[in-house]
Amino acid sequence: MKTTLDLPDDLMRTVKVRAAQEDRRLKDVIADLLRRGLAAESAPRQGAAQRVQFPIIAGGHPAKPEEEVTPERVAELLLNDEVDSVGK
């Protein structure tokens, strides 16, 4: 299929150089680069978009109420630590 694209000069120059170095036709190099780009786009990405799952570790006994790690407990511990560090 014939298609007309408006590409930046430096990008086109780079693709032409690659085609010459590989002794291939320009349209074949462009088609391969597009295929690779589309394949990479559909592959699962690493980083922020991928959700991290922490391991669940079974303990030897159920946590006592004062040992449970809840958002409130974490906030309390952080606040106490901050107060302790300021007081020193």
Side-chain angles (χ1 to χ4, degrees):
M1 169 189 277
K2 285 191 175 202
T3 302
T4 302
L5 298 173
D6 230 356
L7 299 172
D9 291 339
D10 60 324
L11 177 62
M12 203 55 221
R13 199 172 10 262
T14 302
V15 175
K16 284 181 179 180
V17 167
R18 181 178 289 193
Q21 288 173 338
E22 296 176 3
D23 194 28
R24 297 174 61 202
R25 296 186 316 189
L26 184 61
K27 72 176 198 166
D28 295 333
V29 172
I30 291 173
D32 283 347
L33 291 170
L34 285 170
R35 281 188 190 97
R36 282 192 228 157
L38 291 170
E41 184 179 279
S42 64
R45 292 183 181 196
Q46 301 284 26
Q50 191 174 16
R51 191 174 187 127
V52 175
Q53 292 187 346
F54 291 104
I56 297 175
I57 301 169
H61 60 83
K64 297 175 189 169
E66 66 273 6
E67 293 176 335
E68 286 185 8
V69 180
T70 63
E72 295 79 17
R73 179 72 176 132
V74 171
E76 178 186 341
L77 292 170
L78 289 173
L79 182 60
N80 289 342
D81 188 50
E82 189 174 319
V83 169
D84 288 345
S85 66
V86 170
K88 290 182 181 181

